[in-house]
Coordinates of all heavy atoms in Angstrom, one line a residue:
N1 N -3.3 0.0 -9.5 CA -4.5 -0.8 -9.2 C -5.5 -0.6 -10.2 O -6.1 0.5 -10.3 CB -5.1 -0.5 -7.8 CG -6.2 -1.4 -7.4 OD1 -7.1 -1.6 -8.1 ND2 -6.1 -1.9 -6.1
S2 N -5.7 -1.6 -11.1 CA -6.6 -1.4 -12.3 C -8.1 -1.3 -11.8 O -8.9 -0.8 -12.5 CB -6.4 -2.5 -13.3 OG -6.6 -3.8 -12.7
L3 N -8.4 -1.9 -10.7 CA -9.8 -1.9 -10.2 C -10.1 -0.5 -9.7 O -11.3 0.0 -10.0 CB -10.0 -2.8 -9.0 CG -11.4 -3.0 -8.5 CD1 -12.3 -3.7 -9.6 CD2 -11.4 -3.9 -7.2
L4 N -9.2 0.2 -9.1 CA -9.4 1.6 -8.7 C -9.0 2.6 -9.7 O -9.4 3.8 -9.6 CB -8.7 1.9 -7.3 CG -9.1 1.0 -6.2 CD1 -8.3 1.3 -4.9 CD2 -10.6 1.1 -5.9
G5 N -8.1 2.2 -10.6 CA -7.6 3.1 -11.6 C -6.6 4.2 -11.1 O -6.6 5.3 -11.5
K6 N -5.8 3.7 -10.1 CA -4.9 4.6 -9.4 C -3.6 4.0 -9.2 O -3.5 2.8 -9.1 CB -5.5 5.1 -8.1 CG -6.7 6.0 -8.2 CD -7.1 6.5 -6.8 CE -8.3 7.5 -6.9 NZ -8.7 8.1 -5.7
Y7 N -2.5 4.8 -9.0 CA -1.2 4.4 -8.7 C -1.0 4.5 -7.2 O -1.3 5.5 -6.6 CB -0.2 5.2 -9.5 CG -0.2 4.9 -11.0 CD1 -1.0 5.7 -11.8 CD2 0.5 3.9 -11.6 CE1 -1.0 5.5 -13.2 CE2 0.5 3.7 -12.9 CZ -0.3 4.5 -13.7 OH -0.4 4.3 -15.1
Y8 N -0.3 3.5 -6.6 CA -0.1 3.5 -5.2 C 1.4 3.2 -4.9 O 2.0 2.4 -5.6 CB -1.0 2.5 -4.5 CG -2.4 2.9 -4.5 CD1 -3.3 2.5 -5.5 CD2 -2.9 3.7 -3.4 CE1 -4.6 2.9 -5.4 CE2 -4.3 4.1 -3.4 CZ -5.1 3.7 -4.4 OH -6.4 4.0 -4.4
S9 N 1.9 3.9 -3.9 CA 3.1 3.5 -3.2 C 2.8 2.6 -2.0 O 2.0 3.0 -1.2 CB 3.9 4.7 -2.8 OG 5.1 4.3 -2.0
L10 N 3.3 1.4 -2.0 CA 2.8 0.4 -1.0 C 3.9 0.1 0.0 O 5.1 0.0 -0.4 CB 2.4 -0.9 -1.7 CG 1.4 -0.7 -2.8 CD1 1.2 -2.1 -3.6 CD2 0.1 -0.2 -2.3
K11 N 3.5 -0.1 1.2 CA 4.4 -0.6 2.3 C 3.8 -1.8 2.9 O 2.7 -1.7 3.5 CB 4.6 0.5 3.4 CG 5.4 1.8 2.8 CD 5.5 2.8 3.9 CE 6.3 4.0 3.4 NZ 7.7 3.8 3.1
D12 N 4.5 -2.9 2.8 CA 4.0 -4.2 3.3 C 4.9 -4.7 4.4 O 6.1 -4.6 4.4 CB 3.9 -5.3 2.2 CG 3.1 -4.8 1.0 OD1 2.3 -3.9 1.2 OD2 3.3 -5.4 -0.1
T13 N 4.2 -5.4 5.4 CA 5.0 -6.1 6.5 C 4.3 -7.3 6.9 O 3.1 -7.5 6.7 CB 5.3 -5.1 7.6 OG1 6.3 -5.8 8.5 CG2 4.1 -4.8 8.5
L14 N 5.0 -8.1 7.7 CA 4.4 -9.4 8.3 C 4.2 -9.2 9.8 O 5.2 -8.7 10.5 CB 5.3 -10.5 8.0 CG 5.0 -11.9 8.7 CD1 3.7 -12.4 8.2 CD2 6.2 -12.9 8.4
I15 N 3.0 -9.5 10.3 CA 2.7 -9.5 11.7 C 2.4 -10.9 12.1 O 1.5 -11.5 11.5 CB 1.6 -8.5 12.0 CG1 2.0 -7.1 11.6 CG2 1.2 -8.6 13.5 CD1 0.9 -6.0 11.8
E16 N 3.0 -11.3 13.2 CA 2.7 -12.7 13.8 C 2.0 -12.5 15.1 O 2.5 -11.8 16.0 CB 4.0 -13.5 14.0 CG 4.7 -13.8 12.6 CD 6.0 -14.5 12.8 OE1 6.6 -14.3 13.9 OE2 6.3 -15.3 11.9
E17 N 0.8 -13.0 15.2 CA 0.0 -12.8 16.4 C -0.9 -14.0 16.6 O -1.6 -14.5 15.7 CB -0.8 -11.5 16.3 CG -1.5 -11.1 17.6 CD -2.1 -9.7 17.5 OE1 -1.3 -8.8 17.3 OE2 -3.3 -9.5 17.7
D18 N -0.9 -14.5 17.9 CA -1.8 -15.6 18.2 C -1.6 -16.9 17.3 O -2.6 -17.5 17.0 CB -3.3 -15.2 18.2 CG -3.6 -14.1 19.2 OD1 -2.9 -14.1 20.3 OD2 -4.5 -13.3 18.9
G19 N -0.3 -17.1 16.9 CA 0.0 -18.3 16.1 C -0.4 -18.1 14.6 O -0.3 -19.1 13.9
K20 N -0.8 -16.9 14.2 CA -1.2 -16.7 12.8 C -0.2 -15.6 12.2 O 0.4 -14.8 12.9 CB -2.6 -16.3 12.7 CG -3.6 -17.4 13.0 CD -5.0 -16.9 12.7 CE -6.0 -18.1 12.9 NZ -7.4 -17.7 12.5
R21 N -0.2 -15.7 10.9 CA 0.7 -14.7 10.2 C -0.2 -13.8 9.3 O -1.1 -14.3 8.6 CB 1.6 -15.4 9.2 CG 2.6 -16.4 10.0 CD 3.6 -17.0 9.1 NE 2.9 -17.6 7.9 CZ 3.5 -17.6 6.7 NH1 4.7 -17.1 6.5 NH2 2.9 -18.1 5.6
Y22 N 0.0 -12.5 9.5 CA -0.9 -11.5 8.8 C 0.0 -10.6 7.9 O 1.1 -10.2 8.3 CB -1.6 -10.7 9.8 CG -2.6 -11.4 10.7 CD1 -2.2 -11.8 12.0 CD2 -3.8 -11.9 10.2 CE1 -3.0 -12.5 12.9 CE2 -4.7 -12.6 11.1 CZ -4.3 -12.9 12.4 OH -5.1 -13.6 13.2
R23 N -0.6 -10.2 6.8 CA 0.0 -9.2 6.0 C -0.7 -7.9 6.2 O -1.9 -7.7 6.1 CB -0.2 -9.6 4.5 CG 0.1 -8.5 3.5 CD -0.6 -8.8 2.2 NE -0.2 -7.8 1.1 CZ 0.7 -8.0 0.2 NH1 1.4 -9.1 0.2 NH2 1.0 -7.0 -0.7
L24 N 0.1 -6.9 6.6 CA -0.4 -5.5 6.7 C 0.1 -4.6 5.6 O 1.3 -4.6 5.4 CB 0.0 -4.9 8.1 CG -0.5 -3.5 8.4 CD1 -0.8 -3.4 9.9 CD2 0.4 -2.4 8.0
E25 N -0.8 -4.0 4.9 CA -0.3 -3.1 3.8 C -0.9 -1.7 4.0 O -2.1 -1.6 4.3 CB -0.8 -3.7 2.5 CG -0.3 -2.9 1.3 CD -0.6 -3.6 0.0 OE1 0.2 -4.4 -0.4 OE2 -1.6 -3.2 -0.7
I26 N 0.0 -0.8 3.8 CA -0.4 0.6 3.8 C -0.2 1.2 2.3 O 0.9 1.0 1.8 CB 0.4 1.5 4.8 CG1 0.3 0.9 6.2 CG2 -0.1 2.9 4.8 CD1 1.2 1.6 7.2
A27 N -1.3 1.7 1.7 CA -1.2 2.1 0.3 C -1.4 3.7 0.3 O -2.4 4.2 0.7 CB -2.3 1.4 -0.5
F28 N -0.4 4.3 -0.3 CA -0.4 5.8 -0.4 C -0.8 6.1 -1.8 O -0.1 5.7 -2.8 CB 1.0 6.4 0.0 CG 1.4 6.1 1.4 CD1 2.1 5.0 1.7 CD2 1.0 6.9 2.4 CE1 2.5 4.7 3.0 CE2 1.4 6.7 3.7 CZ 2.2 5.5 4.0
D29 N -1.8 6.9 -2.0 CA -2.3 7.3 -3.3 C -1.3 8.3 -3.9 O -1.0 9.4 -3.5 CB -3.6 8.0 -3.2 CG -4.3 8.3 -4.6 OD1 -3.6 8.1 -5.6 OD2 -5.4 8.7 -4.6
M30 N -0.6 7.8 -5.0 CA 0.4 8.7 -5.7 C -0.3 9.5 -6.8 O 0.3 10.4 -7.3 CB 1.5 7.8 -6.3 CG 2.3 7.0 -5.3 SD 3.5 6.0 -6.1 CE 4.5 7.2 -7.0
T31 N -1.5 9.1 -7.2 CA -2.1 9.8 -8.4 C -2.3 11.3 -8.1 O -2.2 12.1 -9.1 CB -3.4 9.1 -8.7 OG1 -3.2 7.7 -8.7 CG2 -4.0 9.6 -10.0
I32 N -2.6 11.7 -6.9 CA -3.0 13.1 -6.6 C -1.8 13.9 -6.1 O -1.9 15.0 -5.8 CB -4.1 13.1 -5.6 CG1 -3.7 12.5 -4.3 CG2 -5.4 12.5 -6.1 CD1 -4.7 12.7 -3.2
Q33 N -0.6 13.2 -6.1 CA 0.6 13.9 -5.6 C 1.4 14.4 -6.8 O 2.1 13.7 -7.4 CB 1.4 13.0 -4.8 CG 0.6 12.5 -3.5 CD 1.4 11.5 -2.7 OE1 2.6 11.6 -2.6 NE2 0.7 10.6 -2.0
K34 N 1.3 15.7 -7.0 CA 1.9 16.3 -8.2 C 3.5 16.1 -8.2 O 4.1 16.0 -9.2 CB 1.6 17.8 -8.3 CG 0.1 18.0 -8.6 CD -0.2 19.5 -8.8 CE -1.7 19.7 -9.2 NZ -2.0 21.1 -9.3
Q35 N 4.0 16.2 -7.0 CA 5.4 16.1 -6.9 C 6.0 14.7 -7.3 O 7.2 14.5 -7.5 CB 5.9 16.4 -5.4 CG 5.5 15.4 -4.4 CD 4.2 15.7 -3.8 OE1 3.3 16.4 -4.4 NE2 4.0 15.4 -2.5
Q36 N 5.1 13.7 -7.4 CA 5.5 12.4 -7.8 C 5.1 12.1 -9.2 O 5.1 10.9 -9.6 CB 5.0 11.4 -6.8 CG 5.5 11.5 -5.4 CD 5.0 10.5 -4.4 OE1 3.8 10.1 -4.5 NE2 5.8 10.0 -3.5
S37 N 4.7 13.0 -9.9 CA 4.1 12.8 -11.3 C 5.1 12.1 -12.2 O 4.8 11.2 -13.0 CB 3.6 14.1 -11.9 OG 4.7 15.0 -12.0
R38 N 6.4 12.4 -12.0 CA 7.4 11.8 -12.9 C 7.5 10.3 -12.6 O 7.6 9.5 -13.5 CB 8.8 12.5 -12.7 CG 9.9 11.9 -13.5 CD 11.2 12.5 -13.3 NE 12.3 11.9 -14.0 CZ 13.5 12.2 -13.9 NH1 13.9 13.2 -13.1 NH2 14.4 11.5 -14.6

């Protein structure tokens, strides 16, 4: 994410509710996780 200047691992899914479709995204900050530096 160039706006935040950080790397993220993202999990996206589709939720259907009340006749509408929604995108739910959970973003895990990878920048501070040393074990994922590679």
Side-chain angles (χ1 to χ4, degrees):
N1 187 307
S2 58
L3 187 63
L4 300 178
K6 293 185 177 183
Y7 292 92
Y8 290 92
S9 173
L10 307 173
K11 294 181 180 292
D12 303 342
T13 192
L14 171 65
I15 296 176
E16 296 177 331
E17 189 168 303
D18 298 329
K20 291 189 175 182
R21 303 185 309 147
Y22 300 101
R23 168 200 183 95
L24 183 147
E25 182 171 277
I26 306 173
F28 300 91
D29 186 353
M30 295 177 62
T31 310
I32 61 174
Q33 299 179 30
K34 292 183 179 180
Q35 67 270 29
Q36 294 180 325
S37 60
R38 178 182 176 185

